[in-house]
Amino acid sequence: MTTLPLAPASPDVTCPLCGFEYVPGGASCREHGCPIALGSCATRHCPRCGYTMPDEEKSAAARFVRRLFRPRPRHAAGTVAELPAGSFGVVERIGGDPALQARLTAQGLAPGVHVHVLQRAPTYVIEVGETSIALERRVAEAIALKRS
Amino acid sequence: MDGAGEMATKVEHAGAAVREASPSPAHRIVLLGNPNVGKSALFNALTGLRATVSNYPGTTVEVYRGRLGGNGAEVIDSPGTNSLMPMSEDEQVTSDLVRSVRGEEGAVVVQVADAKNLRRALLLTLQLGQLEVPTVLVLNMHDEAEARGIKVDLLGLEAALGVPVRTTVATRGLGVEGVLRALASARAPRNHIPMPVDLASPALALLTGGQAPAGSPPAVLARYHEALLEHASAIARAHASEGGSHRALVSRRLGRVAIHPVWGWPILAAVLWALFEFVGRFGAGTLVDLVEDGLFHGYLNPWAIALFSHLPWAFGRDLFVGEYGLLTMGLSYGLAIVLPIVATFFTAFALLEDSGYLPRLAVMSDRVFRLMGLNGKAVLPMVLGLGCDTMATLTARILPTRKERVMVTLLLALGVPCSAQLGVILAMLAAVPFQAAAVWFVAVFGVMISVGWLAARVLPGERGDFVIELPPMRLPALSNVLSKTVARIEWYLKEALPLFLVGTFVLFLLDRLKLLGAVTRAGEPIVKGVLGLPAEASAAFLIGFLRRDFAATRLFDMSRGGGLTVVQLVVAMVTITLFIPCIANVFMIAKERGWRTAAAMAAFIFPLAFAVGGLVRVFMIAAGFGGAP
């Protein structure tokens, strides 16, 4: 019979299975009877339900895999044409000829507006608030973004 | 149902915010709004299904008009626009319509806004304020905004703008009553807009002048929009909360998948296949058989012939019910063959339009049109061309530069088979081996790409920028699709049917004057020598000058009799596909681009069609095609 530790004042891990909040580093593998590793594997165990999850602080591999599934918004600077799909930024300047500028600003694209680059092919597609706009490369080159 | 009822009461309640003034009924209502905010849905909710479509005077921009149920006030649906500063023909029409309301007693602008996208809508509202036009602001798609957790402070917004603000869900008719009641209290939006001094007066002059600045617009325009947007953002931030995440919405997913670099292609293929099945098989096949063979050949034509047999005047008999009779050929052609095809095509087109797929089609096809020196925007006239090239020639006007308009007009006349012709061509191609059918496709498509490529280099001027807004994908509303289709069919019959009659009459005259035979003999060397076709085929090509689908039908008849080999069939098909579609199209090109351009195009297209036909013949013989089909 093991005694359960009380939930500490500032818990920093939440068990994804039972929702219990705990400070990692309590019970070790061996105490849980883990058959694979004897104490040094990079995992955490929920003290309440015993659910095992990877310790991303210890394992670079776990961090890498996790990142693949949870793409972080990438904030980047440059023209829309230069940025990878998925980038976020804030419009710094609209270039190009006056006619193009007038058209883009009428569509709500003006300095200070948040832009999300959705894709680059078959054409560039950006999202501005609730509006999606498809544009070709030479227009994408006219929209300069800075980090938000 | 319960949800809808709740919505209605909520919407009604919101409508009580500005006190209704004494009812001085509006007699003219102009609907205004950004593209894809549900303007047409509100228009239908206001007018029922009694819209008529017409071209705005002096333009090819479609304007829908209808009347209110109650007092019969005129309701005009203007083309969607992002700014009242006219930068294209569509926007010029909208700007004219709005300015026509200025100072007119009882004329009101109802601005329709996407409740989720207040900032962009307010840019227009502020311009309406500068123009001092009585306005009612309608926040449409209120349900979608609520679903995203966007809360709009209606009273605060009314106070900030100084106009009545109402909410609607136009597709379900919710809140429309509130809009009608608010018409009487419409007033000009407040127009105290902070703006740099050097900007205010030139911008206002441009706005009230309402003329597109000659040549390139001054840089003032972009800065003017920026200043308006900044003010609009401030108002939107103060009176509407930000929406939550909406990534999981199915429509949004679908909208993304439809332009996905990989998954977009199978979807494109499926859409084109469905379009072909519906228009090519169902419309041009099933329906045409039903109407032409059943109704016209079975009943109407025999009746007409029986009726006119009492006429003791042979010339008159032949004129109406002879081989080139106005009734037996002209009218039955226009109503029995073209009408079913055009009706199915307009239905399919309205579905594509209302679902939001059309701009995505432009994205997917941008690369192909880039090869031809155009961009994805050209897909709209090109797809329309598969319905009717003459009508599509009109819509070439949506392209921003003269160069693109000329190029699309040329390519339409050269290589895009209209639905009437496509039906016949597909039937003929079904009779030849697959490789032979592929030769037809490669030849026509290859000619279009090379001519486009050349024209892009030869013609002066620049290609316009490709910037196109992608509306969310939606389920089209049946009432919208039907009313739009019916209004377009009406327009088409008024425009096209007289031309069928004129074309038939010209044929009749040629036949009467024995010119048909003479021209046929004169064309024989080319038809026989270059194309290697039987002499009778030259009559078909002569008719092809008038309507190329008439010609295709003639050739089809010849091939059904077993009179053509595979090579002859493909050669004939290629040549006739490359012909100018019909005499109506020539008139349309002349009307749109001038007689000199029309003549130059004809002088280019006809010899090219024969030359390519001759080359295809040489190629096919060398490649070992042959034998009877």
Side-chain angles (χ1 to χ4, degrees):
Chain A
M1 193 70 196
T2 48
T3 51
L4 295 176
L6 290 171
S10 59
D12 66 27
V13 176
T14 306
C15 172
L17 189 63
C18 69
F20 186 68
E21 296 179 338
Y22 62 97
V23 178
S28 73
C29 293
R30 201 187 298 239
E31 282 168 58
H32 279 275
C34 171
I36 301 169
L38 296 176
S40 60
C41 68
T43 57
R44 292 163 177 167
H45 308 278
C46 170
R48 192 159 85 185
C49 67
Y51 180 74
T52 306
M53 58 184 281
D55 184 348
E56 285 170 39
E57 276 165 31
K58 282 190 197 161
S59 166
R63 270 202 303 280
F64 174 74
V65 171
R66 186 55 65 92
R67 199 172 297 154
L68 288 182
F69 286 87
R70 193 175 48 195
R72 298 249 164 80
R74 276 166 293 191
H75 296 266
T79 68
V80 168
E82 293 162 358
L83 298 180
S87 307
F88 286 86
V90 169
V91 175
E92 187 179 21
R93 199 172 42 79
I94 305 277
D97 66 288
L100 180 63
Q101 285 179 23
R103 212 132 41 86
L104 292 176
T105 47
Q107 286 185 306
L109 209 61
V113 168
H114 287 258
V115 168
H116 183 188
V117 181
L118 291 178
Q119 61 182 64
R120 296 163 54 94
T123 65
Y124 290 84
V125 177
I126 60 172
E127 199 173 53
V128 187
E130 288 284 337
T131 312
S132 298
I133 304 172
L135 20 102
E136 64 175 307
R137 188 178 171 85
R138 73 180 186 208
V139 179
E141 282 167 350
I143 304 169
L145 303 184
K146 61 184 179 193
R147 276 168 212 283
S148 50
Chain B
M1 276 297 131
D2 280 346
E6 254 174 55
M7 190 71 217
T9 48
K10 212 179 286 174
V11 165
E12 290 309 312
H13 179 71
V18 161
R19 291 261 61 89
E20 267 86 45
S22 59
S24 64
H27 65 79
R28 208 151 77 89
I29 299 160
V30 175
L31 292 181
L32 170 76
N34 301 93
N36 310 307
V37 293
K39 216 157 34 67
S40 308
L42 184 65
F43 175 79
N44 284 342
L46 285 172
T47 60
L49 297 178
R50 289 159 303 183
T52 57
V53 59
S54 62
N55 293 336
Y56 191 76
T59 71
T60 54
V61 179
E62 278 184 350
V63 174
Y64 288 78
R65 287 164 204 272
R67 295 206 169 269
L68 274 189
N71 62 358
E74 188 186 26
V75 185
I76 305 166
D77 189 7
S78 67
T81 187
N82 290 318
S83 167
L84 290 176
M85 205 65 105
M87 288 175 288
S88 74
E89 195 184 29
D90 274 26
E91 290 165 338
Q92 181 73 58
V93 168
T94 306
S95 160
D96 287 351
L97 280 170
V98 167
R99 281 179 307 108
S100 75
V101 169
R102 290 181 82 195
E104 185 186 326
E105 191 68 33
V108 168
V109 166
V110 172
Q111 190 201 337
V112 189
D114 180 349
K116 308 186 296 295
N117 211 342
L118 200 53
R119 191 177 74 104
R120 282 186 63 188
L122 290 181
L123 187 143
L124 279 173
T125 318
L126 295 176
Q127 290 185 324
L128 287 170
Q130 292 193 305
L131 285 170
E132 296 171 344
V133 175
T135 301
V136 172
L137 179 60
V138 174
L139 305 185
N140 192 30
M141 300 193 272
H142 187 57
D143 53 342
E144 288 181 17
E146 280 202 331
R148 306 258 178 101
I150 298 172
K151 293 209 167 40
V152 183
D153 163 23
L154 292 174
L155 287 170
L157 197 57
E158 289 192 334
L161 296 170
V163 300
V165 180
R166 296 292 179 271
T167 56
T168 55
V169 184
T171 46
R172 288 188 278 147
L174 302 181
V176 175
E177 281 297 310
V179 173
L180 288 175
R181 280 204 300 275
L183 290 177
S185 47
R187 57 197 61 148
R190 292 161 59 109
N191 57 6
H192 300 289
I193 302 159
M195 195 171 287
V197 187
D198 64 316
L199 207 55
S201 66
L204 200 62
L206 275 176
L207 188 66
T208 49
Q211 281 302 312
S216 151
V220 151
L221 224 50
R223 285 179 54 219
Y224 165 70
H225 285 153
E226 282 171 17
L228 289 180
L229 271 180
E230 202 169 309
H231 191 53
S233 297
I235 297 177
R237 265 200 307 274
H239 302 289
S241 64
E242 294 268 323
S245 167
H246 45 261
R247 249 151 252 289
L249 282 179
V250 177
S251 64
R252 202 185 133 84
R253 286 259 175 101
L254 191 62
R256 287 294 306 278
V257 171
I259 48 170
H260 190 274
V262 177
W263 306 121
W265 297 108
I267 291 181
L268 175 69
V271 168
L272 292 180
W273 177 79
L275 187 72
F276 167 71
E277 281 292 315
F278 184 63
V279 180
R281 287 267 170 85
F282 175 70
T286 316
L287 279 185
V288 168
D289 284 351
L290 214 65
V291 180
E292 195 197 12
D293 291 347
L295 191 63
F296 273 80
H297 288 176
Y299 299 97
L300 297 182
N301 286 355
W303 285 348
I305 291 169
L307 192 69
F308 276 92
S309 66
H310 301 300
L311 199 71
W313 183 38
F315 183 86
R317 266 206 309 273
D318 287 351
L319 176 63
F320 287 101
V321 296
E323 194 187 354
Y324 302 103
L326 291 180
L327 294 180
T328 43
M329 188 185 197
L331 205 63
S332 71
Y333 186 90
L335 293 181
I337 300 181
V338 177
L339 184 64
I341 296 171
V342 162
T344 44
F345 182 80
F346 281 160
T347 311
F349 193 73
L351 283 171
L352 281 182
E353 243 179 353
D354 285 16
S355 65
Y357 188 73
L358 224 44
R360 289 174 168 85
L361 187 61
V363 169
M364 297 311 290
S365 59
D366 186 52
R367 285 275 163 87
V368 177
F369 286 109
R370 211 73 77 72
L371 281 178
M372 301 180 200
L374 293 160
N375 69 40
K377 279 185 182 172
V379 79
L380 189 77
M382 291 297 202
V383 169
L384 268 172
L386 291 174
C388 168
D389 285 303
T390 306
M391 179 184 64
T393 303
L394 269 173
T395 57
R397 284 216 182 175
I398 62 161
L399 297 170
T401 66
R402 189 191 128 76
K403 176 179 185 170
E404 287 167 285
R405 291 193 287 264
V406 171
M407 282 179 62
V408 164
T409 307
L410 175 64
L411 292 178
L412 278 171
L414 182 66
V416 179
C418 66
S419 51
Q421 190 194 18
L422 199 59
V424 185
I425 289 177
L426 289 173
M428 282 181 85
L429 288 179
V432 298
F434 174 76
Q435 295 94 313
V439 170
W440 171 80
F441 182 81
V442 170
V444 171
F445 203 65
V447 165
M448 278 184 73
I449 289 191
S450 10
V451 167
W453 187 86
L454 269 176
R457 271 146 195 83
V458 171
L459 291 173
E462 277 281 304
R463 176 173 67 79
D465 295 309
F466 178 65
V467 180
I468 200 165
E469 212 177 304
L470 304 176
M473 299 276 285
R474 308 204 154 83
L475 203 62
L478 186 66
S479 65
N480 230 2
V481 171
L482 284 183
S483 61
K484 210 186 308 198
T485 306
V486 170
R488 282 189 178 140
I489 289 174
E490 183 193 342
W491 170 81
Y492 184 79
L493 286 181
K494 273 192 227 153
E495 298 269 313
L497 212 53
L499 278 168
F500 289 137
L501 296 179
V502 170
T504 312
F505 186 65
V506 171
L507 271 181
F508 171 79
L509 280 185
L510 284 177
D511 183 51
R512 276 280 140 162
L513 300 171
K514 308 280 178 232
L515 283 173
L516 223 45
V519 182
T520 305
R521 275 188 300 280
E524 243 182 69
I526 298 177
V527 172
K528 248 180 149 173
V530 178
L531 300 180
L533 295 175
E536 308 90 76
S538 55
F541 285 114
L542 174 67
I543 298 174
F545 281 99
L546 294 167
R547 289 199 63 90
R548 64 177 172 184
D549 45 331
F550 266 180
T553 316
R554 278 279 166 120
L555 292 166
F556 186 44
D557 279 344
M558 287 171 65
S559 76
R560 269 201 296 210
L564 296 176
T565 65
V566 171
V567 175
Q568 284 177 324
L569 203 60
V570 175
V571 167
M573 283 293 96
V574 168
T575 312
I576 209 68
T577 306
L578 294 178
F579 262 45
I580 290 180
C582 63
I583 195 92
N585 197 337
V586 178
F587 289 153
M588 189 61 80
I589 295 173
K591 178 170 160 281
E592 289 290 298
R593 310 265 84 87
W595 276 107
R596 273 182 55 198
T597 312
M601 280 188 189
F604 172 71
I605 288 173
F606 287 119
L608 183 74
F610 283 114
V612 173
L615 281 177
V616 167
R617 178 191 174 207
V618 171
F619 166 79
M620 286 186 80
I621 288 171
F625 287 93

